[in-house]
């Protein structure tokens, strides 16, 4: 099992010292590898199966879509000193070479993040988050003035000279368990209104929510669990975090302990249903077996690139 969430992996130095050096950025662009991200299409990029697995399609700078120099997003450098950039450009309908070579397809971080190597997972996550933030912030919220990309794509500046920085919203995600070891140990998963599943299955996942102003992450975890399923945490252990660029969240992952004798009372505004699953049942779902959700529908679990999937797999293998 992976020792960290899929989108927490990094193999590129962000090299922040270069972001404010236009001359260095201009020189680096000439030898860069460039990722094209389409923020208007959900942050999709072109990927292909290179035989060893799924990989991003990266272009030489002279073959990348033309954008103003200040709109090139500098992602960092690798151990060999190769610079990486991203540009936001349309990829619909799927273009031909060089943007989309034979055997390539369009995909989002959610769809392929877990299949990418560490370098590509980090590049794609960062590029999708920044491209989306730039697309959503053409104007300053406080003055209404237009903003333009600056510092290698890591902030925007308005006509008054005020800088605006990308926002990351902290959120907690909790896998609630009964603390019992072995195959009979149970976790409490929920089927959310905004993620019901497909026609044949019910998608069950962890409990999650945003940290509110003036609130600690631990307090947010306890509050969200109580609000969504009506049970009180008796223990909470931090596990790991990862970026979730939809549109710009930092997910803080926890393992929560509760007394399973507490009645489950779902918040009908957010949760369709919630129920306990044994470790053996969850392991069967992960192995591709059909497990009934209790209402005739098949149990489905969170997307493999999500931290929810990481928490669930980690608990199953404990």
């Amino acid at each position: 099992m992976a020792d960290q969430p899929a989108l927490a992996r990094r193999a590129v130095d962000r090299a922040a010292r270069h972001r404010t050096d236009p001359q260095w950025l201009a020189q680096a662009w000439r030898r860069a590898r460039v990722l094209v991200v389409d923020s208007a299409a959900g942050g999709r990029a072109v990927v292909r199966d290179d035989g060893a697995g799924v990989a991003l399609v990266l272009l030489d700078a002279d073959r990348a879509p033309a954008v103003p120099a200040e709109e090139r997003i500098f992602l960092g450098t690798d151990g060999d000193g190769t610079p990486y950039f991203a540009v936001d450009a349309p990829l619909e309908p799927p273009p031909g070479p060089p943007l989309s070579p034979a055997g390539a397809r369009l995909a989002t971080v959610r769809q392929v993040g877990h299949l990418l190597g560490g370098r590509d997972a980090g590049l794609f996550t960062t590029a999708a988050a920044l491209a989306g933030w730039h697309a959503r912030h053409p104007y300053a919220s406080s003055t209404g003035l237009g903003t333009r990309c600056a510092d290698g794509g890591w902030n925007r500046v308005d006509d008054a000279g005020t800088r605006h920085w990308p926002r990351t919203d902290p959120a907690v995600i909790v896998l609630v368990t009964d603390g019992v070891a072995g195959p009979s140990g149970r976790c409490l998963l929920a089927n959310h209104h905004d993620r019901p599943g497909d026609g044949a299955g019910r998608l069950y996942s962890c409990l999650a929510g945003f940290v509110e102003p003036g609130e600690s992450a631990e307090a947010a975890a306890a509050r969200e669990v109580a609000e969504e399923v009506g049970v009180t945490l008796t223990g909470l252990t931090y596990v790991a975090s990862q970026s979730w660029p939809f549109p710009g969240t930092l997910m803080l992952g926890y393992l929560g302990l509760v007394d399973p004798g507490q009645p489950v009372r779902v918040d009908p505004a957010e949760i369709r249903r919630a129920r306990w699953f044994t470790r053996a049942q969850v392991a069967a779902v992960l192995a591709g077996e059909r497990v009934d959700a209790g209402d005739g529908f098949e149990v489905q679990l969170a997307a493999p690139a999500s931290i929810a999937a990481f928490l669930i797999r980690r608990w199953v293998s404990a």
Side-chain angles (χ1 to χ4, degrees):
M1 187 198 71
D3 59 357
Q4 60 182 328
L7 304 186
R9 296 169 295 155
R10 292 289 183 272
V12 171
D13 178 0
R14 294 196 170 201
R17 63 192 178 278
H18 295 310
R19 295 173 186 170
T20 57
D21 187 341
Q23 184 176 359
W24 187 93
L25 292 172
Q27 293 173 345
W29 174 257
R30 300 189 190 104
R31 54 190 177 87
R33 302 291 288 156
V34 182
L35 173 64
V36 182
V37 176
D38 188 352
S39 65
R44 284 190 280 185
V46 183
V47 300
R48 68 185 305 178
D49 192 327
D50 63 3
V54 177
L56 296 174
V57 173
L58 301 172
L59 305 176
D60 292 333
D62 60 0
R63 304 184 77 183
V67 300
E70 65 271 16
E71 294 183 12
R72 301 167 184 163
I73 301 172
F74 174 57
L75 301 176
T77 60
D78 64 16
D80 296 328
T82 300
Y84 294 89
F85 285 78
V87 297
D88 188 352
L91 287 171
E92 288 282 4
L99 294 183
S100 183
R105 68 184 191 276
L106 294 175
T108 66
V109 173
R110 189 194 302 266
Q111 293 167 331
V112 300
H114 61 295
L115 301 175
L116 298 171
R119 183 203 68 175
D120 284 5
L123 290 175
F124 198 178
T125 305
T126 304
L130 283 172
W133 177 76
H134 283 293
R136 296 190 304 275
H137 292 82
Y139 300 98
S141 59
S142 58
T143 64
L145 294 173
T147 60
R148 60 186 182 280
C149 194
D151 290 354
W154 286 88
N155 62 66
R156 297 185 71 84
V157 61
D158 61 29
D159 291 340
T162 303
R163 293 193 180 272
H164 307 268
W165 304 88
R167 172 174 172 168
T168 298
D169 297 315
V172 292
I173 182 165
V174 187
L175 177 61
V176 174
T177 79
D178 63 2
V180 175
S184 62
R186 295 184 296 166
C187 69
L188 179 60
L189 301 176
N191 178 226
H192 298 73
H193 279 296
D194 60 350
R195 297 185 300 279
D198 61 26
R202 306 286 196 200
L203 177 61
Y204 281 86
S205 189
C206 303
L207 303 171
F210 286 101
V211 179
E212 295 182 345
E215 187 176 48
S216 70
E218 293 77 13
R223 174 182 53 77
E224 286 291 343
V225 170
E227 288 177 354
E228 293 190 352
V229 293
V231 299
T232 301
L233 290 177
T234 59
L236 187 68
T237 303
Y238 173 75
V239 178
S241 67
Q242 79 168 17
S243 172
W244 193 241
F246 303 104
T249 305
L250 177 64
M251 303 297 299
L252 307 172
Y254 291 88
L255 194 66
L257 181 65
V258 305
D259 175 358
Q262 298 179 72
V264 175
R265 298 187 178 92
V266 302
D267 175 3
E270 294 192 43
I271 307 297
R272 295 163 60 94
R273 55 187 63 81
R275 55 161 293 188
W276 290 94
F277 294 91
T278 66
R279 187 177 272 108
Q281 287 176 313
V282 177
V285 176
L286 292 174
E289 299 177 23
R290 189 185 189 283
V291 174
D292 195 307
D295 54 5
F297 288 85
E298 182 178 354
V299 174
Q300 299 170 343
L301 295 176
S306 68
I307 192 171
F310 172 79
L311 293 172
I312 291 169
R313 288 180 179 275
R314 185 177 184 273
W315 173 77
V316 165
S317 66

